[in-house]
């Protein structure tokens, strides 16, 4: 196993918070859904940074238990009152129309209109985000306060949408590493103007991929930008034979708010990504929560379905559904912050760094400690950092048995992985360690 | 495996608290001991509800390391003062005579009397419950305050008891299920007028057996009403070759007070009954305590002796020995309550329901989630219950691998067993699950 | 397995705190280092109590990755000011000279002197303890307040030491038991006048060995008095082929202060010594801390190096490095107390008692409980102790399966080992138990 990979640290040297935020802001206005031109426009924006491969899966294609639905597109939508004033205008917020609303153009009474309006009575100033992918229906979403202000009169409702045979679109980008074994990074691209969920994730992965381009890696890195659920299912259906390649994976969503971070483990519960992410989070200085797998959430539901059982976890800041902004118009660009995007990026980069650099060594002199002092390896003067380095060397020597990995040793010793890695490299350079077999999961 | 067993829910539809209490009150006055007519009268009362099989094991019979003792019967007992007034009268409380007291009829001084009196100085108004099964002795039990009031005079003490060759009596009732495998439910019948310990347990099991009579079950249910220790040992000695049939079991005692509930695990510690009872208790809304096995307590001591090691736990409300009423005259009918008897009954019925209905399935579409929506299985609107049902379906699909049982899934998901069971049945009905092998312990 | 070993209790009957303290005080003034006459004098003192075998390992001998260094001896050292007054005098405290200082005799300016002075600015009244075993250097150690009082003038510095070819010295004493299997008790002898670290440990082991002399034991007990690190490495290098004999072991240091106790587990983490020590400490009435192994500390570092991985733990009161007196002149005879030395001695003796007397039995009547009452084994009257004895008998009967040891049973039942042992011996004497195979680690 080759250890001196290109420096991961260089990925951390720049402030990428600004560029992630800028990209999230750029794709925020696009009206995405699980199919249609909104997804295509989003992928085109990603494609301006990456050699993105775009796939179209035709309507009607069977993907496991599901079928690719008709393609949905929308041009305009509004509600006008009797005086002809626009009360609701799709052009102001694409959340105003329930995703996959069938076309409608008619006059309705207030009572009939109300049957087709979603609001949040508990959050009366916010517009909810709603979908109806698999039932033919139409609806508007609006602030509850606005609904309460509507008078008893006749309204003109127009949704200029189409539901037609077309295709589902997703994009993927492969960073080739030394092996065909892959690290999957997956973001859903089906939500309209919700900044955190998931312009943030799309933007983070786009810029991570861009910055990794020059990096020599052990694993190949597959970046997948696909509509939630049906997109992931379509990808798995099309890549079933190659799914064995995925040795590690993360679903990335809602990475711009200041909560969490939250990591939900893979269904396996003890995959390398679970240990690596937990380790990085524990040493992050943030206040992480690590949760066991559950079958509700994002596309880890599909990757971790029992027939695949891939080692894919979910990384978020606040956990979905736990914050008032979730799936509302309050999930806007003001809700995501450059510093939180940067923190999330750092956690992911460091986790990848652990996975890339994890290794197994064998102590060549296992009987008693070797004399580190005569090799200049044991520093007697220095602060906390030197003490940690010395301890890391003793731990690596004590536990490197050809079975325990550096990550195992970092976990056991409660020392940061990078210090353990650095100690191991020094000991290896001085001939005190031999390289062992590959690390688990590697 | 047949899942649509007769509905367990019907056992829960009636308020059985009243009938359990009434039966406990009916048998409360009887003077029971480990042998004798008190036990026979009690079994006759049980037999008025069940086709009880009554066994007599002759005095002198060897049962493992023990020997069936002489039969003890008592007709009358009293202490009269010099003026001939009855100071203590067995007719008022059968606790006044130490169980297995040898016959006595003589005049004694106060000093000599005191050598044969048990009181509770810390609880001066209560009569203690005492026994001397295996040492020839006699004694009265009384309130400490009463003892202190006795004057220095001569007393006539009479215990009109007999200790003669006879037999030990126990009763059993078998509810036949589809298999010969058994669920043992055992209550001790050797205590005299102690309402909670164990008129409550005898009454609960009697009425549970009566109500189960019409129910079609997988397991056969053996209800054992036997004197503590020696009775259980006699039963085990007589049924050694069939003890393999006992796949689950509960000792039931002190189920009428408002404490606990307390469940003491089987010696195995991970038997199906342990998981089922723990699960039901966690979802009971009560404040349960679950304890590891220890070799002191009730007849689980014998069932869980290492040569048998049967999967039999102990269910109680307050743990024995932890409440001031324990083994005193304060354990009377006012101490047990209909609502607590009902709660105890419900816990036991639900636990049996889990054991009966536990099953293992196999997800037929393990690759990605099946589309529940198109089958009408996924409800989008509804409160907490609907959310739990949806989650239960996702969990069952995700974990039904032909190895994990529904109880395992309920434990993992922290959802109540009945919701998981209901979800599994719906998924099975829609062809999304196939029945797997039998559940563990079944 | 022979259980009725000579009574361990007799080791606990005397107040040995006084004699341990007296011996610690006797060896306190000696200037020890990793080699030289200080170690020899210390071993001679030990040898006045034990038939100590003293070994000399010549300078230049290779011991694994290390080489025995030159022998260091010192006769005198001082700093005189311009007026010829002694500012620092080795005769007052051997901590004043950095251990292994090369000889020096010259006049220096204050500035130059300061380059060769160690102080503790945060503890300005204390002299630090410093060494420079493997780098040719010289230095004085003094109170920071004294350094601050030195004027700008010329100083005469004299260290009358020698570094010459010689040998490293260590001593060992073997108490022969029934088997060749050994219990290693190891104390470092390389520190100069530090009372707790480790005159206390040397004195405790010396007097433990002396008192054990008459005792018949199962294991052989090896008492090793060697310089830290290089001494333990030299011993391991010379005894590699016999290291398999060490079935249990303790490094003993800093046992005279009132902190802890602290037990650091062996690298194995579940060795018999780990369980025995944890058990004794939990029942000690003290406030113990039990830590997992880490590769920093005392000579357990060498014994637990992966090529040996011996079951050797570390017993201390306060953990090294956690108290302000550590490695300073405040670690003097006033810092160690007779009562703490006695407590430490008791813990070690009781731990040895557990290891010696641990046994595995088999319940001969595993079906139901045997009738203890008819054998007079079950006492009905008595306080907490009798209750514990009764419980111990039930536990021993219930768990003695030929695999679980008495220590396992003590741990499971939370009863003290001695009560479980006593119960087992009674049950064995009454023919209710047969002796099983040897205990684990025995």
């Amino acid at each position: 196993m080759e250890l001196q990979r290109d420096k991961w640290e260089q990925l951390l040297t720049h402030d990428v918070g600004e560029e992630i935020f800028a990209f999230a802001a750029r794709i925020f206005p696009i009206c995405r859904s699980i199919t249609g031109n909104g997804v295509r426009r989003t992928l085109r924006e990603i494609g301006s940074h990456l050699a993105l491969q775009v796939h179209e899966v035709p309507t009607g294609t069977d993907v496991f238990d599901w079928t690719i639905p008709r393609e949905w597109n929308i041009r305009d939508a509004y509600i006008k009152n009797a005086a002809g004033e626009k009360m609701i205008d799709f052009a102001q917020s694409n959340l105003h129309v329930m995703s996959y609303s069938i076309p409608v153009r008619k006059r309705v009474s207030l009572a009939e209109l109300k049957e087709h309006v979603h609001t949040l009575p508990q959050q009366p100033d916010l517009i909810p985000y709603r979908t109806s992918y698999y039932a033919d229906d139409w609806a508007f979403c609006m602030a509850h306060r606005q609904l309460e202000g509507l008078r008893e009169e006749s309204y003109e409702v127009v949704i200029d949408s189409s539901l037609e045979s077309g295709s589902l679109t997703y994009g993927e980008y492969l960073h080739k590493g030394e092996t065909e074994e892959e690290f999957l990074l997956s973001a859903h691209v089906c939500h309209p103007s919700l900044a955190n969920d998931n312009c943030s994730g799309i933007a983070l992965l786009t810029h991570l991929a861009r910055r990794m381009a020059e990096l020599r890696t052990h694993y190949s890195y597959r970046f997948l930008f696909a509509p939630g659920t049906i997109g992931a299912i379509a990808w798995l259906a099309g890549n079933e034979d190659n799914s064995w390649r995925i040795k590690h994976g993360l679903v990335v969503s809602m990475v711009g708010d200041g909560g969490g971070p939250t990591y939900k483990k893979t269904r396996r519960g003890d995959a390398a990504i679970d240990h690596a992410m937990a380790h990085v989070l524990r040493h992050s200085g943030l206040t992480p929560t690590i949760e066991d797998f559950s079958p509700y959430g994002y596309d880890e539901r599909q990757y971790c379905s029992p027939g695949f059982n891939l080692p894919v976890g979910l990384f978020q800041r606040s956990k979905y559904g736990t914050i008032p902004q979730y799936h509302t118009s309050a999930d806007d660009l003001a809700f995501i912050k450059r510093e939180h995007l940067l923190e999330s990026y750092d956690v992911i980069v460091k986790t990848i760094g652990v996975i890339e650099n994890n290794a197994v060594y064998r102590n060549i002199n296992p009987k008693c400690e070797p004399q580190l002092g005569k090799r200049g390896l044991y520093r007697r003067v220095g602060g906390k950092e030197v003490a940690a380095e010395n301890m890391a060397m003793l731990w690596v020597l004590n536990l490197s048995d050809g079975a325990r990995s550096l990550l195992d040793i970092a976990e056991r010793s409660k020392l940061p992985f990078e210090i353990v890695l650095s100690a191991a490299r020094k000991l290896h350079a001085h001939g005190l360690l031999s390289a062992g077999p590959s690390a688990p999961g590697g």
Side-chain angles (χ1 to χ4, degrees), chain A:
Chain A
M1 182 178 181
E2 166 62 50
L3 270 176
Q4 296 294 345
R5 300 203 200 297
D6 290 353
K7 290 278 189 305
W8 281 93
E9 298 78 32
Q10 74 191 56
L11 290 182
L12 297 170
T13 49
H14 308 281
D15 183 324
V16 295
E18 177 57 36
E19 69 190 36
I20 295 173
F21 181 83
F23 189 78
R26 186 168 177 85
I27 61 175
F28 177 74
I30 302 171
C31 181
R32 284 166 291 270
S33 184
I34 55 171
T35 61
N37 293 322
V39 173
R40 288 191 194 96
R41 274 186 59 196
T42 303
L43 296 180
R44 219 172 298 133
E45 294 290 347
I46 299 169
S48 71
H49 292 288
L50 307 173
L52 196 72
Q53 207 182 341
V54 175
H55 302 263
E56 300 280 351
V57 186
T59 297
T61 306
D62 285 335
V63 288
F64 297 120
D65 192 52
W66 302 62
T67 305
I68 302 297
R70 287 169 297 168
E71 181 175 328
W72 184 70
N73 282 292
I74 182 165
R75 283 155 295 277
D76 194 13
Y78 54 81
I79 301 173
K80 279 187 183 160
N81 66 8
E85 296 164 321
K86 277 195 181 171
M87 310 304 289
I88 290 291
D89 188 353
F90 174 72
Q92 286 192 338
S93 168
N94 56 39
L95 296 180
H96 275 318
V97 177
M98 179 170 75
S99 197
Y100 260 69
S101 280
I102 57 175
V104 65
R105 182 180 297 270
K106 62 174 164 179
R107 298 203 75 83
V108 293
S109 66
L110 179 59
E112 192 184 345
L113 177 60
K114 281 185 171 175
E115 286 171 23
H116 291 273
V117 169
H118 295 291
T119 67
L120 296 166
Q122 307 297 322
Q123 298 170 291
D125 295 316
L126 303 184
I127 310 166
Y129 161 59
R130 290 290 152 80
T131 70
S132 181
Y133 300 139
Y134 300 101
D136 280 2
D137 199 1
W138 64 271
F140 286 87
C141 302
M142 66 177 78
H144 194 67
R145 230 182 273 291
Q146 191 178 8
L147 178 65
E148 288 178 322
L150 294 185
R151 283 183 311 221
E152 287 285 354
E153 57 183 322
S154 152
Y155 291 92
E156 181 191 0
V157 293
V158 170
I159 298 180
D160 181 12
S161 67
S162 58
L163 273 160
E164 289 165 2
S165 192
S167 59
L168 173 142
T169 317
Y170 69 83
E172 58 186 329
Y173 165 74
L174 187 69
H175 170 92
K176 282 203 180 148
E178 294 165 359
T179 78
E180 287 198 318
E181 294 181 344
E182 293 181 10
F183 193 128
L184 175 69
L185 291 147
S186 173
H188 65 283
V189 297
C190 51
H191 287 190
S193 295
L194 297 172
N196 201 32
D197 184 12
N198 194 23
C199 296
S200 70
I202 298 166
L204 189 155
L205 289 193
T206 299
H207 283 275
L208 173 61
R210 192 171 70 80
R211 285 173 169 279
M212 280 181 66
E214 298 304 306
L215 208 71
R216 198 157 53 93
T217 59
H218 175 73
Y219 292 102
S220 295
Y221 288 76
R222 184 172 299 276
F223 293 81
L224 180 58
F225 302 93
T229 306
I230 185 71
I233 292 171
W235 184 83
L236 283 163
N239 293 276
E240 196 177 345
D241 288 350
N242 290 327
S243 62
W244 65 268
R245 287 185 185 158
I246 298 175
K247 297 299 179 188
H248 317 283
L250 284 176
V251 170
V252 175
S253 71
M254 292 177 63
V255 291
D257 69 286
T262 308
Y263 176 66
K264 189 174 92 176
K265 289 187 195 176
T266 71
R267 183 174 180 268
R268 303 177 182 196
D270 68 344
I273 184 71
D274 297 322
H275 291 285
M277 179 60 89
H279 178 80
V280 169
L281 286 175
R282 268 199 293 275
H283 289 276
S284 66
L286 303 169
T287 53
T289 301
I290 294 169
E291 301 199 338
D292 282 335
F293 177 76
S294 83
Y296 189 71
Y298 287 87
D299 285 332
E300 72 281 1
R301 293 165 66 163
Q302 311 310 326
Y303 303 130
C304 296
S305 59
F308 285 103
N309 203 22
L310 297 175
V312 178
L314 167 65
F315 178 74
Q316 305 193 286
R317 301 304 300 261
S318 294
K319 184 183 173 179
Y320 60 85
T322 62
I323 45 172
Q325 295 85 353
Y326 182 69
H327 280 192
T328 75
S329 52
D331 182 357
D332 60 12
L333 288 171
F335 182 52
I336 64 173
K337 299 277 182 280
R338 287 155 184 80
E339 65 260 35
H340 304 318
L341 292 165
L342 179 61
E343 288 164 352
S344 299
Y345 172 88
D346 278 3
V347 165
I348 292 173
V349 165
K350 284 182 178 165
T351 301
I352 292 174
V354 170
I355 294 284
E356 277 284 319
N357 291 294
N358 197 16
V360 172
Y361 288 97
R362 217 183 282 276
N363 179 347
I364 290 168
N365 298 285
K367 291 187 174 168
C368 300
E369 294 170 7
Q371 194 178 358
L372 298 176
K374 72 182 179 191
R375 296 174 176 88
L377 287 172
Y378 200 80
R379 290 198 271 158
R380 300 192 62 120
V381 185
K384 260 179 126 172
E385 247 174 70
V386 166
E389 266 183 37
N390 287 342
M391 279 308 294
M393 275 188 277
L394 294 178
W395 275 111
V396 168
L397 287 166
N398 197 281
L399 296 183
S400 286
D401 54 2
R404 272 177 272 222
S405 74
L406 296 182
L407 179 55
D408 294 336
I409 296 170
E411 289 292 89
R412 175 73 177 78
S413 67
K414 300 193 170 69
L415 292 167
F417 179 82
E418 54 265 32
I419 291 181
V420 172
L421 175 64
S422 161
R425 286 176 174 171
K426 281 185 192 164
L427 293 167
H428 186 232
H430 280 81
L432 290 169
L433 297 179
S434 69
S438 290

